[in-house]
Amino acid sequence: MKAGLVVDNEYIYGEEKHLTVLKTSLFFANDGYTVYDCNGQLIFRVDSYGPDPRDKGEVVLMDAHGRCLLTRPSLHHRWEGYLGERSEGQKPVFSVKRSSIIGRCAMTVEVFNNPGEEYLIEGNFGQRSCTIFNAGKESVAEIKRKVDASTNVVLGKDVFLLSLKPGFDGAFAMGLVLVLDQINGDDYVENDEADMSPTAEDNVL
């Protein structure tokens, strides 16, 4: 598999890696996460920073020691990732947009400063069922529901698996998870606003 965007070489593995992602708040979209390996070791943590807990200013992906790896700003309908702590005038390293493929639920990922590198995300993040493909149509990562090994019960959507293929940067993959979470949150807000909008009958009354 051709090497792609690297956020941090430490998270590129020589064999397939399965990470457990736990959403640390269930009240709002775009809140924190913690990520563990199969041995229960903390790999990443994600925190949101902003004056209003409902309107997070920045979402930051950090390593287990609190070092900032990637920043995702909370800008409505602008889905981007920045290396490290985002600074004034800094350009994103990747952006995500809805695909124009008819009849398919997909997102395209554009990587800047690396011509020809792009990804396609297919599936439904809200259902924790997505696959990330590279430009060669190879699967590089997958998001899926986690099953309790002892009871064979599918766990809730606040806990899911992020499976990485060898050579694909886990920090970049988590950056895409954060953007997908933002997109899912934007859709939730839009649907909620649509439900609250006045109907024709309301206008008559």
Side-chain angles (χ1 to χ4, degrees):
M1 182 178 70
K2 182 182 176 182
L5 172 65
V6 175
V7 173
D8 194 305
N9 283 301
E10 182 179 346
Y11 304 104
I12 298 176
Y13 305 102
E15 57 186 24
E16 189 164 342
K17 189 83 168 179
H18 303 285
L19 303 177
T20 296
V21 184
L22 172 65
K23 192 171 180 67
T24 56
S25 175
L26 306 181
F27 296 105
F28 308 112
N30 307 338
D31 276 329
Y33 286 99
T34 51
V35 184
Y36 301 89
D37 66 12
C38 60
N39 298 315
Q41 180 179 351
L42 180 66
I43 304 297
F44 302 115
R45 60 187 181 91
V46 176
D47 284 321
S48 301
Y49 299 96
D52 185 341
R54 284 180 172 269
D55 183 22
K56 305 298 184 180
E58 302 273 321
V59 176
V60 178
L61 174 67
M62 295 174 283
D63 66 12
H65 306 289
R67 179 170 60 96
C68 180
L69 302 172
L70 199 69
T71 301
R72 191 221 71 200
S74 292
L75 303 173
H76 192 54
H77 285 309
R78 283 183 59 187
W79 306 313
E80 301 168 334
Y82 295 76
L83 283 178
E85 294 187 41
R86 186 170 73 110
S87 58
E88 188 70 28
Q90 182 181 354
K91 295 183 178 180
V93 290
F94 71 86
S95 69
V96 180
K97 62 181 180 180
R98 297 186 191 277
S99 174
S100 59
I101 300 174
I102 298 175
R104 296 170 69 180
C105 180
M107 304 281 172
T108 55
V109 183
E110 180 182 2
V111 177
F112 302 111
N113 300 322
N114 195 354
E117 183 180 356
E118 60 182 11
Y119 298 90
L120 181 70
I121 306 174
E122 292 188 343
N124 187 326
F125 179 75
Q127 297 299 319
R128 306 302 189 245
S129 178
C130 295
T131 303
I132 303 171
F133 298 94
N134 62 15
K137 298 183 179 179
E138 299 172 298
S139 170
V140 294
E142 187 177 359
I143 298 164
K144 51 191 175 183
R145 299 286 293 273
K146 185 175 175 66
V147 178
D148 186 301
S150 61
T151 62
N152 205 33
V153 172
V154 178
L155 299 178
K157 295 174 187 176
D158 55 311
V159 183
F160 57 94
L161 280 179
L162 175 61
S163 298
L164 307 169
K165 297 296 184 182
F168 191 66
D169 182 15
F172 178 32
M174 264 308 297
L176 294 177
V177 168
L178 299 186
V179 171
L180 290 171
D181 187 42
Q182 181 187 20
I183 294 171
N184 192 61
D186 285 348
D187 288 346
Y188 177 83
V189 170
E190 287 185 353
N191 290 336
D192 194 43
E193 290 175 347
D195 290 341
M196 294 175 64
S197 62
T199 64
E201 290 182 355
D202 293 332
N203 291 332
V204 171
L205 294 174

